[in-house]
Amino acid sequence: MEASPEYAVQMHGILKTFGVFTALDRVDLDVKKQTVHAILGENGAGKTTLMNILYGLYQADEGEIFMGGQKVNITNPTEAIKLGIGMVHQHFMLVENFTVTENIILGDEVCSAAGVLDMAKARKEVMDLVEEYGFDVDPDAKIQDITVGMQQRVEILKALYRGAEVLILDEPTAVLTPQEIEKLIEIMHDLISKGKTIIIITHKLKEIMQSADECSIIRRGVYMGTVDVHQTNETELASKMVGRNVNLTVDKTPAHPGETVLAIRDLTVKDERGIEQVRSLNLDIHAGEIVGIAGIDGNGQQELVDAITNIVKAESGSIKINGEEIVNTTPRNTFLHKIATIPSDRHRWGLVLPFSVSENTVLERHADDEFGPGLTLDYGKMREYTTQLIKDFDIRPAGSEDERMSGLSGGNQQKAIIARMVTAAPNLLIAFQPTRGLDVGAIEFVHKTLIAERDRGAAILLISFELDEVMDVSDTIAVIYHGQITGTFAQGTVDENQLGLLMAGGEAK
Amino acid sequence: MFANLILLIGITLMYSTPLIFGALGGVISERSGVTNIGIEGMMVIGAVAAATASYFTGNPWIGFLAAGACGALVALLHAVASVSFAADQTISGVAINMLAPGLALFACRRFFDGAAMTPIAPKLPKILGESGLAGTAFANLNVNVTTVLALVFTVIMWFVLYKTKWGLRVRAVGEHPAAADTLGIDVYKVRYCCVILSGMLAGFGGASMTIAIIAQFTQTAISGHGFIAMAAVIFGKWTPFGAYGACLLFGFTQALVIMLGGGDFVVPSQILSMLPYAMTIIVLILFVGRSVAPKADGVPYVKGSR
Amino acid sequence: MSKLEKFLRGRFAAAVVAVLVGFAISAIVLAAAGYNPIGSFAALFNGAFGRPKYIANVIIKATPILLTGVSVAFAFKTGLFNIGAEGQYILGTTLATIVGVKLNLPMPLQVPIVLASGIIGGAALGAFVGWLKAHFGIHEVITSIMCNWIAFYLCNFVVMSDAFHKPNSTSALQVNGSSYTMILGNWKKSPDGKAFLKGIPWLREIVAKTDLNYGFIIAVIVAILISVVLTRTKLGYELRAVGFNRDAARFSGISVERNIVLSMLIAGAISGLAGALTITGISPHTITLLAAMESYGFNGMSVAFIAACSPLGCIPASILFASLIYGGMSVQQVMGAPSDIINIMIGTIVFFTALPGVTPMLADMVAKKRKEQESIKVSKDGTPLPEKEV
């Protein structure tokens, strides 16, 4: 396509390699002015890399960028900002212990003389912006004290403060409630009406259908074309994204719940700052049942898991597994009670990355006599055991027992963790954000494994910030808000809006 | 009794001065996200440079400036390693702590015929001149000019860190370098500046030992002061005034050692000498959990990673 | 890949490059200060290996720094920075002296007990630092440095105390002779031994003229043992897991606190053993009033880093540094250059081992140059140039 003033941004033939890996293979992107343009692709497809190039964080190996028909050369974020590009990253780029105003002016400070900050004037400029766009943000609040939705608005303000005309939003809905998503879409349309252009990066089809005008699809670094959103549907987009027909629903039979496996009573847990994150929480999970916890990040999910796994001490309350109390014991005791956990941050909690795959598979079990008598450790036995797991769970590459764990892809690392947890035949399997950052194939695998474990008779606690995942996989959905379970529903008896309201602290209708 | 109290205050101020400079160096470096264990080595370099330059030029102020410059030069090494090469900042700092005493003694022996200490060098003045308040009960409050300078530097650093755009940027880089980077702030440049500045301050700290408290460089002039200063940074919650207060406390223990050691006290001097070090450990036990380090402290920033 | 490039990507490259740079920088410093670098290095080499006696002394010097090196390397492999080897060493010498002076048992009992007291001293200090880290989260580097000074003054206190001070000297009393660990210790002084050694001059030189002792053999055994513990036992596995990823280790049920204390305890024990072996192995067989740190612990860190924290790698590394330190003394005698140049050299070497990116960068440079040359060759042959790399 020719460079033309009708387009806010055009990227032509963008090639980007990291070592031997080709992240983007001559990708094209043409974004019309005053539209919402979605970039759709799986995790790792190269969407964010493409936008980082537009924002000057990376340099393309080949290719050209045009803005309004003019060729531009963007070598760093400062250039991009000058050209009127603003980017809201998936992981917010906000300094937690700074105020909203400080975050907004950082790098483009309002100063009186000789570099001395003029905070009063800065505050007024921020207030003007807040009023112009009708955002609900307190300029004096610290970032660590405001909600995720507000933090996102601060990010957008940061871009607007710098005069952004083109706004890039990277996975903007990943952490929002359905209501906040609606509000964001409103904001986006308002911005378009004020002359801005928006590019959103996402792998969520529903939001593209709701918010975007056009959608460009990238699959494994290759540009697959652009479609008019008004003339397509979710299934078509999904198959273009993945490259085959995908089943968007999760297949499972009705649950047959048995005995109570996990019984939590009046559990209260404080975080490291001494603030109660879990407050008198009650929860039951039965054998052969998947209980999904719906909620926004930061409502006590982490502390709940930490307490069950005995990573932190609970203030009070009881956690019983098959009638036995395990609260405030040790992580080892949790494991001995056949509780297995797929952690939310696999690199932090789940894996020792510099260890080999086989060293990782025995993290819980290395002390067993199976892996060497007495004090010794038999690497041969560990390898045999791991070879079997690699085969059973299709961990790739095959024969990677001695590879460092850090060399495996995210999906295969997750498979390695799941293999480790499932072979323990747990009574309770906790899956905390089990599909984070995985591609569609790996997500299907994770969901199938959870259901298979349920059918084996395990109790499953699924905690996810993706409401769709909770609604699709769980037999019972429980909403967590402010450290308490504020509603429990059987699958199919509740809709997204009701859950969304509860997640935001409201009453269900 | 009153005279003793004045003496105690005087010695406390005197001995806390090198620590304050070192701690300010630690604050500025760590606030930008670079752990600087090499403060000790930079103080040693400053100590030898100050005494040597003061001896040869006859002007202690030139000695003071030379100390800052040499400390900054050594800090540049640490900056190259920890900012440009994303090296393990602890190892780099330790290497500097090995390199610096070697360099200091080598220079000392080279300039002074193989002696491991410099001759007596001209000292920086006291605030009221050599004989100010002499004969009065307050004679011991006629402190070294470096003691005042340390306070001035503390105020300046507080102002820069919290009231200017550079301070805002330094703090942002230490908390969330990627965020600063996306707003066009050069993380590497900020960190280079802060580390070099920390070396300069540490150099001043060395100088305030060898051309203010004593009048020469010796092998033990700086013995663990840099590390006590680092403990003061933690105790002082990474703020200039906090560090200043913490250093006063450590200076006070040092003063106690001298006061108690001088009298007919039963505790042997070797045991008393342990006091500042033991005190540091006790203070850390009491306070370390309660203060929060800059989030990116000690983490190398690699462009393109989050 | 060329041979040079292959070497630069290999596991020894970083150490070799660091040593070369260390020599280069020292040469520059020497030249700038007006000394002949080549002459100085010749004196250094001659001073370390010129006579059998020198070699024996290098081995004697290597003993403590091999052990402190293994101590630092072991701790580092488990994620801890044992900058406290110095203090652990000092406490090892102090306790060994106290016990060696007060106790006088037959040699087969006396030697193990004296060595054990040194080990206990070092282990206690190490465990204390580990405990502070595990339970209060205080960085081990700062507490270790503080403990170094506390050990330093404790040692001086013992030297000056009424019970142990040797009158009219700056040292404590000598340990009893039954604590000695010299090779052929008594025999070499007996008439028989003297007569025998007279016939073999080189043996006489290394045995009779030095304090050659069993220490180095013990140190090598410890290095091997630690290597086995780290790579072939459950304990080593747990310690390394904690070292690499504390959170994942805790999550999988490994006790992080216990392993941190244990790791520092073992590291301290090894450094304490180094101190005890100094007392039993070499004269004056006692502690003396310390004016400055003796640097056995700090040199151990250099040994560990140049060995990339491999316990077995510490063996050659300790010989290298011992020869630098011992040979370095001749530099001052022969050339008049301050022997502190050796500390500059060692500091430089450690500094360069801290830079992870240097050797891969050099390898990339070599590779690039080779490609450029190849493309020139191709064009001379008349074949088309390969597409320009961007």
Side-chain angles (χ1 to χ4, degrees), chain A residues 311 331-332 341 347-349 351-352 354-355 359 362-364 366-368 372 374-377 379, chain C residues 230-238 240-241 244-254 387 390:
Chain A
I311 290 293
R332 180 77 189 157
T341 308
H347 288 177
R348 178 167 175 202
W349 298 105
L351 300 168
V352 179
F355 267 11
E359 281 173 311
V362 300
L363 262 173
E364 283 86 4
H366 66 274
D368 295 358
L375 300 172
T376 63
L377 195 59
Y379 274 69
Chain C
L230 277 173
T231 56
R232 289 285 170 263
T233 66
K234 287 167 180 169
L235 172 67
Y237 173 89
E238 286 193 10
R240 284 188 301 130
F244 281 132
N245 188 344
R246 205 159 290 175
D247 290 330
R250 170 173 296 143
F251 202 78
S252 66
I254 296 171
E387 212 177 312
V390 185

Side-chain angles (χ1 to χ4, degrees), chain C residues 268-288:
Chain C
I270 301 169
S271 294
L273 173 64
L277 281 171
T278 299
I279 298 300
T280 60
I282 54 178
S283 47
H285 298 287
T286 186
I287 44 178
T288 51

Side-chain angles (χ1 to χ4, degrees), chain C residues 72-365:
Chain C
V72 174
F74 171 78
F76 201 81
K77 285 270 180 191
T78 68
L80 296 165
F81 209 121
N82 186 21
I83 200 170
E86 184 77 29
Q88 296 148 9
Y89 172 90
I90 293 173
L91 210 57
T93 59
T94 310
L95 254 74
T97 305
I98 290 174
V99 173
V101 168
K102 290 289 173 199
L103 205 65
N104 197 1
L105 298 170
M107 190 186 266
L109 278 175
Q110 175 87 358
V111 170
I113 289 176
V114 171
L115 292 183
S117 7
I119 291 173
I120 289 169
L125 200 59
F128 176 60
V129 167
W131 177 74
L132 290 173
K133 168 132 188 152
H135 290 272
F136 301 100
I138 312 173
H139 200 294
E140 69 274 17
V141 166
I142 294 180
T143 48
S144 293
I145 294 281
M146 297 302 127
C147 286
N148 285 348
W149 287 104
I150 291 173
F152 178 95
Y153 286 110
L154 201 65
C155 173
N156 283 355
F157 170 71
V158 172
V159 171
M160 299 311 289
S161 66
D162 295 341
F164 293 95
H165 187 68
K166 187 179 172 189
N168 304 320
S169 78
T170 56
S171 28
L173 297 166
Q174 265 186 10
V175 295
N176 289 307
S178 57
S179 322
Y180 291 1
T181 54
M182 281 83 73
I183 292 176
L184 308 174
N186 294 325
W187 176 80
K188 73 186 179 191
K189 286 186 189 130
S190 68
D192 273 0
K194 278 184 179 162
F196 178 82
L197 287 171
K198 214 165 192 181
I200 314 170
W202 65 268
L203 190 65
R204 179 165 167 264
E205 207 180 18
I206 62 169
V207 175
K209 289 195 173 174
T210 72
D211 282 330
L212 195 65
N213 58 65
Y214 293 103
F216 193 72
I217 299 168
I218 296 173
V220 168
I221 293 170
V222 169
I224 295 169
L225 201 69
I226 288 296
S227 181
V228 170
V229 166
L230 277 173
T231 56
R232 289 285 170 263
T233 66
K234 287 167 180 169
L235 172 67
Y237 173 89
E238 286 193 10
L239 289 170
R240 284 188 301 130
V242 171
F244 281 132
N245 188 344
R246 205 159 290 175
D247 290 330
R250 170 173 296 143
F251 202 78
S252 66
I254 296 171
S255 168
V256 171
E257 286 78 12
R258 181 178 149 267
N259 276 292
I260 288 176
V261 175
L262 201 56
S263 171
M264 283 305 293
L265 182 135
I266 294 172
I270 301 169
S271 294
L273 173 64
L277 281 171
T278 299
I279 298 300
T280 60
I282 54 178
S283 47
H285 298 287
T286 186
I287 44 178
T288 51
L289 199 63
L290 298 169
M293 288 286 177
E294 304 223 278
S295 288
Y296 286 114
F298 297 129
N299 287 327
M301 288 199 300
S302 317
V303 167
F305 291 142
I306 196 85
C309 290
S310 143
L312 294 180
C314 287
I315 299 170
S318 67
I319 297 281
L320 171 75
F321 280 104
S323 53
L324 288 179
I325 294 163
Y326 184 69
M329 296 197 275
S330 326
V331 175
Q332 185 145 8
Q333 288 155 11
V334 178
M335 304 297 295
S339 60
D340 304 291
I341 189 68
I342 298 303
N343 289 331
I344 297 177
M345 192 190 285
I346 293 176
T348 310
I349 292 172
V350 175
F351 183 75
F352 272 85
T353 54
L355 304 182
V358 171
T359 48
M361 205 171 74
L362 288 173
D364 287 344
M365 273 162 61

